[in-house]
Amino acid sequence: MSIPISEIDGFVAEYNIKLYDFKEINCKSWSYLLKEKEGIPQYFGLVALQCLAAFKMQNQNGITAANFKVRFAGLIGVIDANELNSFFSEDFDFEFKVQEKIWLSARAFFKNKSIKIILPEITRYAGRFTQFPKSQIVLNHEDLKEYSSFFTVINNGFESISFEDFKKYYLNEISNFRNNFRRENNTKNDNQWSEIELKIKLKQIFDFYCSDDWMIKNEILSFNNSISNENYIIKFSPSELLLYDEYYNILDSLNSLVRNKRFMIFKENKNYPNEFESVNSISLNDNNILLIYQSAANQKEIRASNSVFLPLDYENQKHNVLIFKIKNSDNLPDFLKNKVISDYPIELKGFKVSGEKKYFVNNPPKIHLKEDIRYNIYYNKKIIDINEMNRVGKYTIRINGYSNYNFELVELPLLNYPINDKTNSLEFSSLDYKNEETGCISGLLLKYKDNVMIETLTIKNWIKTINGIRINSDSQLFKAIENSRNGKY
């Protein structure tokens, strides 16, 4: 019963409260928490805080009762150790203490909801009261911080990921990160955990990824692993296949890149059909292509791909790479089956400012539900209504069972050299799109009108032009900007 710390932090921020403000938890007795209101017991807040205290334990040598009590006392604002012990040891009846009865009642409540909670057997020895929250975690906060490099790779490769896909990715890739682990709980192989412990462990790792704790500033560590964190873009031009990095710098290393990885998956940019972005997975609703390096070591994958995919007839003497269009994800070769992920149930429709999830504040994205699902939008850690997406800043969409989906609204940029155009048709504000059928600022090319695509009209060239750097281009937009600098229009 892992409680995501992000959920508790969000609750605290939204209502501007402190956890020790709840006097019901430190009012000398927990017995009354067993009473129900509208069919719901009142002890779930207490259970959540006990799980949070267990999660926050940071001792190096193990998860102990003494360490738990220190964390829990700090959360609920109890200073006296004897007072805290009196809460745990309060009698409920001749058989159980209140702490035991609350946890047994919680297990029964969840069982009626078809949710299985595993608890340790009742004991009469030391630690009998703290064993229940301790049993719900196997990793503490310090353990989870060692997964930062693993989280970074996932964050770079997935806009959002479901818990089921997260587990699959973990089982396939975590061996690449073993050298980063130093703490005892992390150096243990997964087969050394019981089935229940492994389930709890994976849920804890996922919940920690969904929080912002692993991205703490000034604590970014450098790790070595066999998976690259970099993102790439390929573009099909009439004469050659071009490779760019995520900052749109052209690269001349496609052969070596694909050779080192053996194969790579790219998804089509929905705004620019000739551009494909590198991804770690295959989504059923994306147009994907597969690049495989031609070598003897890859013959098995090449034969399997030829049997189910359509090879792209693209002649390019510079690259020793085969290109396949991925169709029919239900009939994938074995080496790609573990790359398929479930589709995120929400789609943001709008115009990104760049390849990142940034949109202009005067034209925020529209949220499209692919299925009937509950979600919340957060701004500055507070839940807001969909109509309140009108301020510059970072936003988060949260859906149960998925990692956070983050995006940002930004101000319209200002040109250092305004265009002297009486009609204002060439000003940047004229790119104020009103619907998703016109124009886009995204990817490598700036498309400012329907059906207009100029090879030299790139974001990079546009930035150079407004900053006074002369380029060779037939673009009337670039010429207009350049002329405006000289007092012409």
Side-chain angles (χ1 to χ4, degrees):
M1 193 160 54
S2 173
I3 307 296
I5 191 171
S6 57
E7 293 296 326
I8 296 178
D9 287 345
F11 178 81
V12 168
E14 181 178 359
Y15 294 99
N16 193 27
I17 59 173
K18 304 292 184 183
L19 293 177
Y20 48 75
D21 288 340
F22 295 97
K23 303 303 180 184
E24 298 88 347
I25 293 178
N26 54 18
C27 67
K28 312 302 185 213
S29 175
W30 290 342
S31 296
Y32 79 98
L33 295 175
L34 287 155
K35 296 179 180 179
E36 295 186 356
K37 288 185 179 180
E38 299 180 359
I40 300 177
Q42 301 303 293
Y43 49 67
F44 283 119
L46 173 65
V47 169
L49 289 180
Q50 289 189 10
C51 287
L52 179 59
F55 169 79
K56 282 181 170 289
M57 289 190 291
Q58 297 179 9
N59 60 306
Q60 180 72 34
N61 298 320
I63 298 174
T64 65
N67 195 19
F68 167 81
K69 287 184 177 180
V70 170
R71 300 292 172 185
F72 183 62
L75 286 175
I76 66 174
V78 173
I79 300 176
D80 190 337
N82 291 327
E83 182 182 8
L84 181 62
N85 287 330
S86 69
F87 292 156
F88 287 116
S89 59
E90 177 189 354
D91 289 324
F92 177 76
D93 54 28
F94 291 110
E95 186 176 3
F96 299 113
K97 302 294 185 179
V98 168
Q99 168 74 348
E100 295 168 331
K101 186 64 179 178
I102 284 175
W103 277 89
L104 294 174
S105 174
R107 180 174 66 180
F109 179 88
F110 283 117
K111 183 178 181 181
N112 289 334
K113 304 292 184 182
S114 299
I115 301 174
K116 187 177 182 180
I117 302 296
I118 305 298
L119 296 179
E121 296 293 330
I122 299 295
T123 180
R124 295 293 181 261
Y125 301 105
R128 61 182 288 193
F129 305 126
T130 58
Q131 64 172 336
F132 301 111
K134 284 169 49 187
S135 70
Q136 300 306 300
I137 71 158
V138 295
L139 303 177
N140 62 36
H141 189 265
E142 292 299 306
D143 295 330
L144 290 165
K145 284 165 66 175
E146 288 193 340
Y147 287 83
S148 294
S149 59
F150 176 67
F151 294 153
T152 298
V153 172
I154 292 180
N155 190 58
N156 288 342
F158 303 90
E159 290 188 336
S160 179
I161 188 170
S162 70
F163 178 48
E164 293 303 316
D165 291 327
F166 183 93
K167 287 193 299 183
K168 182 168 63 175
Y169 193 82
Y170 170 92
L171 296 173
N172 289 331
E173 305 292 349
I174 197 60
S175 60
N176 295 303
F177 299 86
R178 292 292 183 191
N179 291 336
N180 300 330
F181 299 148
R182 299 294 180 267
R183 294 178 63 83
E184 181 180 355
N185 281 334
N186 294 332
T187 56
K188 291 171 61 176
N189 290 325
D190 287 338
N191 58 14
Q192 294 177 271
W193 299 97
S194 69
E195 181 180 354
I196 296 300
E197 287 175 330
L198 183 57
K199 288 181 179 179
I200 294 173
K201 174 185 174 181
L202 291 174
K203 186 63 166 61
Q204 280 194 268
I205 296 172
F206 179 72
D207 287 341
F208 194 66
Y209 172 68
C210 291
S211 74
D212 293 329
D213 282 13
W214 65 275
M215 292 188 285
I216 298 175
K217 292 181 179 179
N218 301 322
E219 290 190 15
I220 301 176
L221 305 179
S222 176
F223 294 97
N224 294 318
N225 61 74
S226 62
I227 300 179
S228 171
N229 295 339
E230 296 181 2
N231 296 318
Y232 299 93
I233 301 167
I234 58 174
K235 179 178 183 296
F236 290 91
S237 73
S239 59
E240 60 179 327
L241 182 64
L242 302 174
L243 174 69
Y244 299 83
D245 65 15
E246 57 189 317
Y247 304 105
Y248 305 127
N249 297 310
I250 193 164
L251 305 175
D252 190 27
S253 56
L254 183 61
N255 272 328
S256 59
L257 178 66
V258 182
R259 181 177 66 242
N260 292 338
K261 294 176 176 290
R262 298 186 64 188
F263 67 88
M264 294 182 68
I265 302 167
F266 290 77
K267 74 172 182 179
E268 186 179 44
N269 186 313
K270 293 182 179 180
N271 295 311
Y272 298 97
N274 288 328
E275 294 177 20
F276 292 78
E277 304 161 355
S278 62
V279 291
N280 292 326
S281 58
I282 299 172
S283 175
L284 299 179
N285 288 330
D286 289 332
N287 291 327
N288 298 282
I289 60 173
L290 172 68
L291 273 64
I292 304 181
Y293 189 76
Q294 290 196 78
S295 69
N298 294 337
Q299 287 306 305
K300 180 179 179 182
E301 288 80 5
I302 292 173
R303 286 194 298 270
S305 300
N306 272 315
S307 66
V308 295
F309 296 145
L310 178 67
L312 293 184
D313 185 15
Y314 189 80
E315 294 186 7
N316 195 329
Q317 303 300 323
K318 288 178 60 177
H319 306 302
N320 190 32
V321 173
L322 293 175
I323 306 173
F324 298 91
K325 185 174 182 179
I326 297 179
K327 299 181 67 175
N328 188 6
S329 297
D330 295 330
N331 190 31
L332 292 176
D334 290 341
F335 75 98
L336 289 180
K337 285 182 178 178
N338 63 0
K339 299 290 185 180
V340 178
I341 63 169
S342 54
D343 197 26
Y344 189 64
I346 283 179
E347 181 180 1
L348 265 63
K349 291 190 174 182
F351 296 104
K352 296 180 183 179
V353 176
S354 67
E356 301 175 359
K357 291 174 286 186
K358 294 182 180 180
Y359 305 83
F360 288 135
V361 68
N362 67 326
N363 191 19
K366 296 178 176 61
I367 295 179
H368 170 69
L369 293 181
K370 299 178 183 178
E371 56 185 84
D372 187 14
I373 195 168
R374 181 181 176 183
Y375 69 94
N376 288 314
I377 306 172
Y378 288 80
Y379 178 78
N380 289 340
K381 294 187 175 181
K382 293 185 178 180
I383 295 179
I384 63 169
D385 187 77
I386 190 171
N387 297 320
E388 297 179 275
M389 291 197 313
N390 53 15
R391 290 165 287 182
V392 171
K394 296 181 179 180
Y395 294 77
T396 297
I397 297 176
R398 288 182 182 167
I399 300 175
N400 187 36
Y402 289 83
S403 64
N404 295 340
Y405 187 99
N406 301 307
F407 64 97
E408 186 175 357
L409 299 186
V410 298
E411 292 279 12
L412 280 168
L414 298 176
L415 296 179
N416 290 331
Y417 303 95
I419 300 173
N420 298 319
D421 175 26
K422 294 178 181 180
T423 66
N424 294 324
S425 61
L426 296 178
E427 288 283 2
F428 195 88
S429 58
S430 68
L431 300 178
D432 180 10
Y433 305 116
K434 300 302 182 184
N435 59 69
E436 57 190 63
E437 302 301 327
T438 59
C440 180
I441 297 180
S442 178
L444 300 176
L445 297 178
L446 176 64
K447 184 173 67 175
Y448 63 102
K449 291 182 180 179
D450 285 345
N451 302 318
V452 173
M453 188 74 73
I454 303 172
E455 287 296 315
T456 56
L457 191 54
T458 66
I459 296 292
K460 189 173 182 179
N461 285 341
W462 178 68
I463 293 174
K464 285 182 177 180
T465 303
I466 65 174
N467 283 283
I469 301 174
R470 187 178 181 87
I471 63 170
N472 294 321
S473 174
D474 294 329
S475 167
Q476 295 300 316
L477 178 62
F478 288 161
K479 290 180 179 179
I481 295 175
E482 185 177 348
N483 289 337
S484 72
R485 291 170 48 81
N486 300 318
K488 303 175 183 179
Y489 59 89

